[in-house]
């Protein structure tokens, strides 16, 4: 993702185990899939580092211009999920998610209408309404 024309992801690390079963998909992705080469050609501003890390689960880590980093575990996954995670890391800004707007709106009085539930089906049933005049109370 570019913020004001500056791409935010500048380094992508792919860490995996050379022997572990949880890294099978990552090893197959690196050996057989042309997606990594295409990804590198389409994004020349991103430094891609592929390093084995024996004895640990695989993960993808994105480092951003802002100094933030995101690490996503890809153990026991598919090559499609690896592509999705790589695209997600490329398309995010690296900033922490900040809640906007402050607290939720709260009233002084409790609701006189009650709590809504999905089982409330007033539209399907009929009911009678009687209008009471001033002298008939």
């Amino acid at each position: 993702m570019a913020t004001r024309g500056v791409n935010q992801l500048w380094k992508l690390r792919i860490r995996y185990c050379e022997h572990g079963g949880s890294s099978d998909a990552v090893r197959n992705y690196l050996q057989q899939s042309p997606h990594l080469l295409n990804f590198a050609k389409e994004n020349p501003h991103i430094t891609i580092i592929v390093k084995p890390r024996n004895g640990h689960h695989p993960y993808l880590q994105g480092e951003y211009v802002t100094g933030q980093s995101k690490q996503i575990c890809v153990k026991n996954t598919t090559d499609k999920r690896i592509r999705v995670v790589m695209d997600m890391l490329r398309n995010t800004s690296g900033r922490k998610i900040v809640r906007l707007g402050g607290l939720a709106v709260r009233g002084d009085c409790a609701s006189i209408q009650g709590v809504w539930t999905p089982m409330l089906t007033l539209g399907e049933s009929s009911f009678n309404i009687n209008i009471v005049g001033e002298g008939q109370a």
Side-chain angles (χ1 to χ4, degrees), residues 55-109:
H56 297 280
H57 291 300
Y59 65 87
L60 300 177
Q61 180 180 12
E63 294 183 19
Y64 297 90
V65 176
T66 59
Q68 299 285 339
S69 67
K70 288 185 181 179
Q71 181 174 324
I72 299 175
C73 182
V74 288
K75 69 176 184 177
N76 299 325
T77 187
T78 62
D79 60 342
K80 181 180 179 184
R81 170 73 178 148
I82 295 170
R83 288 194 296 267
V84 168
V85 169
M86 288 177 66
D87 290 337
M88 191 268 311
L89 287 172
R90 180 192 60 201
N91 292 333
T92 55
S93 66
R95 294 189 196 123
K96 299 289 182 187
I97 297 173
V98 178
R99 183 176 180 190
L100 300 176
L103 298 174
V105 177
R106 304 269 181 209
D108 294 336
C109 302

Side-chain angles (χ1 to χ4, degrees), residues 6 31 34 79 113:
V6 177
Q31 293 171 357
D79 60 342
Q113 299 174 354

Side-chain angles (χ1 to χ4, degrees), residues 12-16 26 29-30 36 48-53 58-61 74 82 86:
L12 178 68
R13 295 179 192 271
I14 302 174
R15 303 297 300 265
Y16 67 99
V26 177
Y29 175 79
L30 294 173
L36 184 61
I48 299 175
I49 300 170
V50 178
K51 264 188 166 175
R53 184 175 179 242
Y59 65 87
L60 300 177
Q61 180 180 12
V74 288
I82 295 170
M86 288 177 66

